[in-house]
């Protein structure tokens, strides 16, 4: 008698636990690829409903469309007057899939409308992509102007983290290509050039960014150095994300689904047990346990 009460009340508390657990919102680990990093606009503005505006619209449309199949592209919209000729490019981070690249470029373009209303030129950097347009050409021109420098708080006396950081930055500087990643322990680094640079120019730009990171962000837990045509970033922990989690999203979502299904099954089993316990109580009366020891020690009790 006492045994049955204790086992059914423990089922009940298990059930309550499971229900409150499933009703917790499962955090959506959405990618931070589209998070805003910086933006800038020219002071000069174009007039509304001008050829400039329609050229800009076709330029931005071309950029967004191109980002569905290429991680870098440039466009020139030639007009009858040089002032109305527009140049534009975008560069997605090297690890982005084409759909993520297209989404990122589209988000950047919508940012222009907010940040740079009717300005002749503008540039937006999101975590996953960079987009720039202007009526003065900048295509194929190396530019190492510091656009954004951000150093995290000082790391303190962690020599190990700092030597790892220097090793990661060194590896970034010496590896080739427009997109570079490296890591050691908790330290991660990433560098990206805009695709209009030659490999020599990219190397020069990345070296400059890394040199500035080392000198300006001495003992910082993270550092971001965005130059006009390349950037280098590092982090020594997981707090400041320099990477998108986009490429992990699928497996995380699958894991969450599996988890939700398991919780759902367990809830179902708990409900069934409570139901059976209740039914048995109703139909067999209070002394049923004495007559049905097999059920009491049955499969579901042992299973849970
Ligand atoms: C860009 O367009 C603005 C407005 O039409 C004009 O004043 C400016 O001279 C143009 N710049 C260039 C480099 O053509
Ligand atoms: C711009 O795009 C064209 C066509 O895709 C390409 O041939 C050219 O090299 C690009 N220019 C720069 C500076 O990237």
């Amino acid at each position: 008698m006492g045994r049955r009460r204790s086992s059914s009340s423990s089922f009940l508390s298990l059930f309550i636990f499971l229900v409150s657990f499933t009703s917790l919102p499962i955090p959506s680990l959405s990618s931070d690829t589209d998070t805003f990093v910086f933006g800038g606009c020219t002071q000069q503005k174009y007039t509304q409903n001008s050829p400039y505006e329609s050229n800009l619209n076709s330029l931005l449309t071309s950029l967004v469309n191109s980002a569905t199949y290429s991680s870098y592209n440039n466009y020139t919209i030639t007009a009858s007057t040089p002032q109305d000729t527009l140049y534009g490019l975008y560069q997605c981070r090297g690890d982005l899939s084409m759909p993520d690249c297209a989404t990122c470029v589209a988000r950047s373009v919508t940012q222009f409308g907010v940040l740079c209303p009717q300005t002749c030129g503008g540039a937006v950097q999101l975590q996953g992509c960079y987009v720039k347009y202007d009526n003065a050409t900048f295509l194929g021109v190396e530019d190492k102007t510091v656009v954004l420098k951000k150093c995290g708080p000082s790391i303190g006396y962690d020599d190990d983290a700092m030597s790892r950081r220097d090793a990661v930055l060194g590896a970034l500087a010496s590896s080739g290509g427009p997109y570079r990643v490296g890591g050691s322990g908790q330290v991660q680094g990433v560098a990206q050039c805009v695709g209009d640079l030659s490999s020599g120019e990219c190397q020069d730009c990345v070296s400059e960014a890394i040199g500035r990171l080392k000198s300006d962000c001495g003992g910082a837990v993270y550092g971001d150095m965005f130059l006009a045509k390349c950037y280098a970033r590092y982090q020594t922990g997981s707090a400041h994300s320099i990477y998108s989690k986009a490429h992990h999203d699928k497996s995380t979502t699958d894991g969450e689904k599996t988890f939700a299904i398991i919780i759902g099954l367990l809830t179902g089993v708990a409900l069934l047990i409570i139901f059976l316990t209740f039914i048995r109580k109703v139909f067999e009366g209070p002394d049923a346990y004495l007559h049905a020891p097999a059920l009491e020690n049955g499969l579901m009790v042992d299973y849970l």
Side-chain angles (χ1 to χ4, degrees):
M1 188 65 192
R3 192 174 158 204
R4 191 178 71 207
R5 185 179 296 125
S6 73
S7 59
S8 53
S9 67
S10 66
F11 289 143
L12 192 63
S13 52
L14 177 66
F15 171 68
I16 289 164
F17 166 72
L18 289 174
V19 168
S20 51
F21 209 63
T22 44
S23 62
L24 285 174
I26 294 172
S28 66
L29 299 170
S30 68
S31 88
D32 63 358
T33 307
D34 302 334
T35 307
F36 181 80
V37 179
F38 66 78
C41 322
T42 60
Q43 297 209 311
Q44 271 178 322
K45 300 210 169 194
Y46 60 81
T47 42
Q48 218 162 357
N49 301 318
S50 60
Y52 198 104
E53 182 171 40
S54 63
N55 287 347
L56 179 57
N57 286 340
S58 58
L59 173 69
L60 297 178
T61 306
S62 301
L63 295 178
V64 172
N65 288 340
S66 173
T68 59
Y69 59 84
S70 175
S71 62
Y72 161 77
N73 216 341
N74 73 83
Y75 284 91
T76 301
I77 308 289
T78 314
S80 49
T81 54
Q83 301 99 285
D84 291 343
T85 296
L86 275 159
Y87 308 90
L89 59 71
Y90 69 89
Q91 173 68 60
C92 285
R93 207 179 52 205
D95 62 328
L96 255 62
S97 66
M98 284 299 102
D100 288 343
C101 177
T103 308
C104 189
V105 171
R107 293 270 162 85
S108 307
V109 165
T110 57
Q111 289 286 333
F112 283 135
V114 180
L115 290 169
C116 307
Q118 285 180 46
T119 65
C120 291
V124 165
Q125 173 80 56
L126 306 185
Q127 292 280 354
C129 64
Y130 175 69
V131 182
K132 179 174 176 169
Y133 74 90
D134 203 353
N135 64 342
T137 187
F138 57 93
L139 299 176
V141 179
E142 189 185 355
D143 184 352
K144 295 186 282 183
T145 311
V146 177
V147 181
L148 178 81
K149 179 187 94 171
K150 231 162 83 185
C151 301
S154 179
I155 216 165
Y157 301 102
D158 195 341
D159 281 346
D160 180 52
M162 275 304 111
S163 60
R164 276 177 196 274
R165 183 201 73 154
D166 289 346
V168 167
L169 291 181
L172 284 186
S174 60
S175 69
Y179 172 64
R180 308 168 185 200
V181 283
S184 169
Q186 283 271 77
V187 183
Q188 292 181 307
V190 61
Q192 174 76 61
C193 289
V194 178
D196 62 337
L197 298 188
S198 69
S199 61
E201 290 168 333
C202 174
Q203 183 57 39
D204 183 52
C205 191
V206 167
S207 301
E208 171 91 14
I210 287 172
R212 285 182 180 271
L213 271 183
K214 283 183 177 169
S215 61
D216 296 6
C217 298
V221 290
Y222 68 84
D224 296 334
M225 191 63 66
F226 288 87
L227 310 186
K229 281 291 172 76
C230 73
Y231 66 75
R233 318 175 72 182
Y234 75 88
Q235 65 187 25
T236 55
S238 49
H240 174 77
S241 180
I242 58 173
Y243 294 115
S244 147
K245 291 179 184 66
H247 46 295
H248 301 309
D249 268 0
K250 195 181 176 299
S251 59
T252 311
T253 311
D254 286 349
E256 282 167 4
K257 271 184 201 147
T258 311
F259 181 68
I261 289 167
I262 289 170
I263 290 295
L265 284 174
L266 285 174
T267 309
V269 169
L271 272 171
L272 185 66
I273 289 166
I274 288 164
F275 178 67
L276 289 177
T277 311
F278 174 71
I279 288 290
R280 205 179 59 215
K281 219 176 207 164
V282 166
F283 285 96
E284 298 182 0
D287 296 328
Y289 164 66
L290 299 173
H291 308 294
L295 184 63
E296 180 70 23
N297 300 312
L299 180 67
M300 285 187 285
V301 177
D302 293 337
Y303 178 72
L304 280 174

